[in-house]
Amino acid sequence: MDLNFTTEEQLFREEVRGFLRAKLPAEISHKVLGGKRIEKSDFVRWQQLLNEQGWGAIAWPEAFGGTGWNAVQQHIFDEECADAGAPMQLPFGLKMVAPVIMEFGNPAQQQRFLPHIVDGSDWWCQGYSEPGSGSDLASLTTRAVREGDHYTVNGQKTWNTLGQYADWIFCLVRTSTEGRRQKGISFLLIDMKTPGITVRPIIMLDGEHEINEVWFEDVRVPLENLIGEENKGWTYAKFLLGHERTGIAGVGRSKRELKKLKEIAATETTNGRPLIEDQRFRDRIAQVELELMALEITNLRVISAEGEKKRAPGPEASILKIKGSEIQQMLSELQMQALGHYALPYTEEALEADWPGDPWMPDYADYAAPLSGHYFNYRKTSIYGGSNEIQRNIISQMILGL
Amino acid sequence: MDLNFTTEEQLFREEVRGFLRAKLPAEISHKVLGGKRIEKSDFVRWQQLLNEQGWGAIAWPEAFGGTGWNAVQQHIFDEECADAGAPMQLPFGLKMVAPVIMEFGNPAQQQRFLPHIVDGSDWWCQGYSEPGSGSDLASLTTRAVREGDHYTVNGQKTWNTLGQYADWIFCLVRTSTEGRRQKGISFLLIDMKTPGITVRPIIMLDGEHEINEVWFEDVRVPLENLIGEENKGWTYAKFLLGHERTGIAGVGRSKRELKKLKEIAATETTNGRPLIEDQRFRDRIAQVELELMALEITNLRVISAEGEKKRAPGPEASILKIKGSEIQQMLSELQMQALGHYALPYTEEALEADWPGDPWMPDYADYAAPLSGHYFNYRKTSIYGGSNEIQRNIISQMILGL
Amino acid sequence: MDFNYTEEQLALQDTLRRFIARDYGFEHRRESAKSTDGFDRSAWKTFADFGILALPFPEGFGGLNGNAVDTMLVMEMLGRGLALEPYVSTVVLCGGLIRDAGSTEQKETLLPAVAGGELMLAFAHFESGSRYAVDHVATTATANGHGWKIDGAKAVVLGAPSADKLLVSAKDGKGISLFLVDAKIPGVTLRAYPTQDGARAADVKLAGVQVGADALIGTAGNALPAIERALDYANAALCAEAVGIMSALNEVTLEYLKTRKQFGQPIGKFQALQHRMADMVIATEQARSMATLAAVRADSADAAERSRSVAAAKAYVTQSARLVGQQAVQLHGGMGVVDELNVSHYFKRLTMIGLTFGDADYHLGRFSDTLTMPHECF
Amino acid sequence: MDFNYTEEQLALQDTLRRFIARDYGFEHRRESAKSTDGFDRSAWKTFADFGILALPFPEGFGGLNGNAVDTMLVMEMLGRGLALEPYVSTVVLCGGLIRDAGSTEQKETLLPAVAGGELMLAFAHFESGSRYAVDHVATTATANGHGWKIDGAKAVVLGAPSADKLLVSAKDGKGISLFLVDAKIPGVTLRAYPTQDGARAADVKLAGVQVGADALIGTAGNALPAIERALDYANAALCAEAVGIMSALNEVTLEYLKTRKQFGQPIGKFQALQHRMADMVIATEQARSMATLAAVRADSADAAERSRSVAAAKAYVTQSARLVGQQAVQLHGGMGVVDELNVSHYFKRLTMIGLTFGDADYHLGRFSDTLTMPHECF
């Protein structure tokens, strides 16, 4: 039982830090740390820089161009990237469709798609949810009908994140209506440039365009874009949902946001003293820090155990999701609360990287501007990726056997 | 909209206070305020004193010997009694079986039973729950078979409060196993002296004997002790459960306990200063006081509306039960927490009225002695009388229509 | 003890309810938020016609002599409609300040204009760095031959962009004073912006602003008690607004639970969601009780009792509103976090109410600090 | 980074688990609680045989050189068994104090006796009126020709009724010192009582108690750092005990949910109860992480780091234990509040752990006060 990192792990951490110092563009980390809007180009540029280093796909096996790092190394990398202000690597290609392609795709699919994920040239998005099927995914109705050498797809997907930039979408589609609902689902890869696809923005409550509806009208998808076998898509979908593991707790990002919260509370004053010296507010920070300390160790316990392959992933993934999202939400709420009056203004232009700040407002109003929006936006974290209610169902039913 | 009491109501309050000053025996209020064990003789003596005043049954119609007071008057009476340290009037006779006898009993039953409830000469207890039927009351299996001029009762009841003192028990029994489970239930009044009844104590987690199992073995109950019609008992049972209303929130007692909590926190010291000056602890008191302020007003809103007979009792009864029990639990928990080290000793003798205190312990250890036990004991308040989970079912299903 | 509205109050409530339902729908509100003013000037005129802009003023000055319970009733309805009009700024805060602290002449000039909907006001009081401390004013007022010269900066002044005049608090030698300052005169500069809930506010700079002697509201150096009262009154009004929103949000959420189907049944059949909804209803009823307390006590002559009750109510209502707002969003799933439905707008407004004129912790602290004194429970 | 126990640790865990299951059942425990000592002296002998009484002592003094992780492992198992034996008092606190502050001779005399199960000790430190402040000692020690004279009173000394000797903290001119005091000598009076969780404690009066010079542990006036360390160590041990109890309580509750039927199905089919159970499991896993942190850091040479981590863990574990304890009772319904089942006994012990050596608020405060300093997250 040892909570210290080994010498090798510490050296690895130094290596990651050195890389970040040398290669992470300041204009990108400025945006991330300042809560600015991150552009497509930022995500792609960072992915390219990582790829040049050979670190484009940290969780993949080396055979597919991954690093082969163990879970603790991946955790250290995540943590350092978050702390330095690297943009998140979007999961849709790297952590979602890629493992499915590696496990169930054929060699041609693997060669076609995987390298373009690592080098950032293909932007992937997800086509799972539909207006009528959210938590109840298996009720999906988007139809794919086999006609000669292709499927014809008709239907509508929603809660599609950043699909406005996407080159490819992976979709669950219904290829049969016989038997159990789960039996008639297939897993298709669809080129977003195919005629008949329409992407319509959904504006989030913070005013941002982050998600979309995707409409399919007689969209022709070559048979070769089917993953695995027809009507077996539910198996691949469950594999995908159960696969993403490191990073689900978001510990690295939450540690960064905790640091930011403390900085804000040290800057904002009340009765002439820094807010952090107000015991009532400091106790609130302390309480969320306790949660995060516990989660960091729980997370390490989970990934260490998995790293040793001693057992299959357990209820821990759901615990990490629930606690991770709750902590993100608490942090964003306290950041907003810390601002006092400056939690109120909605200054959209402050989300632009080149916003010069406003001479009218006090200095801290600059970093303040995005924070209430973040609080609103982060309500999604207990909803997406299987709502926290679904996670509690999983814990109680799948694990506890209730 | 006026939160002040009318002049008449204030005069009424003065009258109640005057009575309490004159008639509430000091040795009884000493026990109540000190958290001592209350004896059967205390309950009976207080009921007799109230009866002599004509206040034995404040919620009953005058025709049956009640006061005819309106709901606000009843509330004032409850509040003053709690504050003065009067023992609770046990509900089993006054608030539970009596309304059923008034509504569904025949004149002979009314004449036989009601006066003895008001004057304290009959002690009643409840025979509802069974080991196999708690929240699911309708699943009860205690059988009553009609044989000539009597029923023969066999079965077992549990969670019977203070039945060790009881003269009578009102029971739900199964008289038929045909049709819906609710259809075969009857409501019987049973003399506790009847041969075949065995009362076995259940010791609570605080070490006290407050509840019992009651066993019935070939117990003969005269047919005249049946309330209303055979197999209609479920209707009477629901009437009973829905009937108790004033007092369910326990506002008067909680106000008294809040006062006590503040007294403890003003006595206990930390770093040489009264605990109540410690902001962290004071905030906890403040938080429960907020809940209680809100509940007091909610309670008054409910009883005012009912008093005006503008509508039938709504979801408010369940709200009052949930919030009332949560507040009682919070108060007892904070009282225990306030004690510091002296929350640990278990001093059973301190529950005796004549306990002289202990020269070994500091003064406050005297009042401290019962408080941890109260905390443990009060966990029951979110369980009994329809658990708080059942109350939430009622709100969401019966009222909100979910 | 009486929890009923009077006949007149019920009539006014009914009028407002019908107005909100018929003329102030969600799409109308969205359009108003996008307009230059950020609210609907014709609605403001209607408010004048309804008399609610005259509500809290004495009859002698064109008012209706209403009390804080009347204001509660209005605010609850404005809450249901998510009304954007700066009612609290103009009527409750500034109107109340002029009523309580102004000279007879000032009341005669200003209150009828507010009541008639011709004059809009904003209260420029809080400053950056002072957080919620009511008595912290760094802005200065210096007496000179022409009257007063005012210098300073005010933070996040609600309703300022549309205000004809600002009520500016400033420190002179003696204490805090209030000045009526025309928003357009030299030296006054506004940086206007929308707020997170779609309303408008501004940061205000006052650089050598010269006003006449008659700009002083009441007497010099004595404004703090009136400011404290006005903010208590405003917080009581915000409590009522929050309760109106919470009620509406519960209705919307209940409807969603009954109609949204997953796993072959309405999601409202799931017990975990049922209990969540029950907790939202309980929180709303309890909040309503506290908002009632705040309204009744906002008119109290005893300042300590008034402040203690309003602090208690604002702390509690904010906590309840947080639960109801967050859970309404959660129960709506993805539909809770999009701009399209009113759910997220109710949620944002509830959140901002909780951060306006003191957050829950600030008010909890005010209340907690009174605990060492003996009190009846409410 | 390693979250595994060593082979030896796993073997010890296995030994204890089997002992608890086979020889320390709930009915046995109930009998022990009723006995004169309030615990089972034969179990204490078995503990000596297992080596756990020797665990945290250096090999040179009959110990096994164990660390706080070993203690964690032991405490978790003792928690599962609701063991009544005064392990924390004798071994963790007093053994640790002698180990850290005693002279070589004292260690040679005392530690092997503790390790062998022949000597039981209790730490008489806290006093009435001091609440949880570790550095508050009003008891005095006055040097005289025969050694020291001690006067004062100690509150709720855990394990005192069965202790052969007491470790008494007292103030001399210089600071706080520790004295080994025979529990039977003149001037020492105990008022013994059971505690809420079935253990034993006593209030202790010391009236002109004369002890020899050799009763002083270590040097005069310097005991505070050792006391702080011992209490941190003890709190880390209590965290582990709580985690053991929470795990056991979750198992019992899960079993109840699966077997208790209402409305024609196991109550564990009701979603609201399922989610409650899930929250209990989450709280327990998180508490286990914090107990691990406390154990690892209890051995830290950096006192500030040690204290901060233990404070964090004790605060958090107590909060988690409150949730798990209360909900285990609630989910058991009436069966949760009776003496008959182990549920209420687990609940009471969890509650008392949370109030021993500082409650959740005290430790939250200790942790919160460090926040203005820069730190990595754990």
Side-chain angles (χ1 to χ4, degrees), chain A residues 247-316:
Chain A
I248 195 175
V251 169
R253 269 171 297 143
S254 285
K255 284 171 79 166
R256 180 184 74 210
E257 295 305 316
L258 174 65
K259 204 191 275 183
K260 186 170 183 173
L261 169 60
K262 290 180 182 176
E263 284 165 12
I264 296 169
T267 308
E268 168 80 3
T269 56
T270 177
N271 295 320
R273 284 164 45 218
L275 180 59
I276 202 167
E277 292 181 17
D278 174 84
Q279 180 183 289
R280 203 173 277 117
F281 194 79
R282 190 173 66 246
D283 278 3
R284 296 210 185 274
I285 305 178
Q287 193 64 53
V288 66
E289 182 159 355
L290 290 185
E291 292 287 352
L292 183 53
M293 288 168 82
L295 182 63
E296 179 167 13
I297 298 169
T298 303
N299 190 39
L300 287 165
R301 283 168 53 207
V302 172
I303 64 180
S304 298
E306 279 186 50
E308 294 163 18
K309 304 265 184 226
K310 284 192 174 161
R311 52 183 174 139
E316 297 86 352

Side-chain angles (χ1 to χ4, degrees), chain A residues 212-230:
Chain A
N212 304 279
E213 292 175 343
V214 182
W215 295 72
F216 298 87
E217 201 183 336
D218 294 333
V219 173
R220 289 167 67 109
V221 180
L223 292 188
E224 68 205 51
N225 287 8
L226 174 74
I227 289 286
E229 294 177 47
E230 195 175 271

Side-chain angles (χ1 to χ4, degrees), chain B residues 106-271:
Chain B
N106 56 42
Q109 289 168 335
Q110 291 169 349
Q111 281 162 20
R112 162 65 189 88
F113 292 112
L114 296 178
H116 291 184
I117 293 175
V118 192
D119 71 13
S121 54
D122 277 351
W123 182 291
W124 281 85
C125 68
Q126 181 184 32
Y128 265 37
S129 295
E130 299 182 3
S133 63
S135 293
D136 182 13
L137 189 56
S139 67
L140 60 89
T141 59
T142 294
R143 285 281 284 160
V145 180
R146 188 199 281 249
E147 293 170 339
D149 62 349
H150 66 272
Y151 290 99
T152 302
V153 177
N154 278 283
Q156 183 194 351
K157 295 290 178 181
T158 191
W159 311 129
N160 165 277
T161 302
L162 297 178
Q164 67 264 42
Y165 304 136
D167 302 297
W168 286 87
I169 183 169
F170 58 93
C171 279
L172 292 181
V173 295
R174 183 157 301 286
T175 37
S176 164
T177 52
E178 286 168 31
R180 283 182 61 233
R181 301 182 309 172
Q182 286 82 352
K183 296 276 179 190
I185 291 171
S186 298
F187 195 109
L188 281 188
L189 313 181
I190 305 179
D191 187 332
M192 287 293 279
K193 289 184 295 294
T194 320
I197 297 181
T198 314
V199 177
R200 293 187 193 158
I202 297 174
I203 302 303
M204 288 279 281
L205 80 174
D206 59 353
E208 295 297 295
H209 174 199
E210 169 182 339
I211 50 174
N212 304 279
E213 294 175 341
V214 182
W215 296 72
F216 298 87
E217 201 184 336
D218 294 332
V219 173
R220 290 166 67 108
V221 180
L223 291 188
E224 68 206 49
N225 288 7
L226 174 74
I227 290 286
E229 293 177 46
E230 195 174 270
N231 295 333
K232 289 263 174 87
W234 187 250
T235 308
Y236 316 145
K238 280 201 301 183
F239 172 83
L240 183 158
L241 291 172
H243 194 270
E244 192 191 344
R245 203 137 297 272
T246 49
I248 196 175
V251 169
R253 267 170 298 143
S254 286
K255 284 172 78 167
R256 180 183 74 209
E257 295 305 315
L258 175 64
K259 202 191 276 184
K260 186 169 183 175
L261 170 60
K262 289 180 182 176
E263 284 166 10
I264 297 170
T267 308
E268 168 80 2
T269 56
T270 176
N271 295 320

Side-chain angles (χ1 to χ4, degrees), chain B residues 210 253 321 328 380-388 391:
Chain B
E210 169 182 339
R253 267 170 298 143
K321 163 64 167 62
Q328 276 186 283
K380 74 186 177 191
T381 64
S382 51
I383 294 169
Y384 67 26
S387 73
N388 286 11
Q391 302 299 334

Side-chain angles (χ1 to χ4, degrees), chain B residues 57-76:
Chain B
I58 63 164
W60 292 11
E62 288 169 90
F64 289 113
T67 58
W69 289 343
N70 67 26
V72 173
Q73 286 175 302
Q74 293 176 38
H75 170 81
I76 290 171

